[in-house]
Amino acid sequence: KVGNHLVSHPDVNLISFTGGTVTGGIIKSATANQPTKKLSLELGGKNPGIVFPDADLKKFIKDIGRSCFQNSGQICLCSS
């Protein structure tokens, strides 16, 4: 109820949401008829770690481990 009220309220001119795709879709639908409202959605992305044949594997393993677990995996750039 609170979230719906916030995203549909005319005095809220910007919404920034990080979370699941289902909730992001609900927010997008709720704001579709409000063309002046700014909307930023960061929704459940996955970032692959790609290893090329000429990679330094010791360095890669160290870096990919840091990438996966930095900030407990709660940042947008973590590898999956």
Side-chain angles (χ1 to χ4, degrees), residues 18-70:
T18 301
T21 54
V22 172
T23 304
I26 293 168
I27 292 170
K28 182 180 173 189
S29 295
T31 60
N33 294 324
Q34 302 174 65
T36 60
K37 188 170 289 199
K38 293 181 172 106
L39 180 61
S40 172
L41 301 173
E42 177 68 40
L43 307 175
K46 295 290 184 184
N47 300 314
I50 300 172
V51 184
F52 292 99
D54 61 344
D56 177 341
L57 292 181
K58 285 185 180 183
K59 183 175 181 347
F60 173 79
I61 290 170
K62 176 183 171 189
D63 291 346
I64 198 73
R66 180 183 44 80
S67 176
C68 292
F69 300 107
Q70 183 175 4

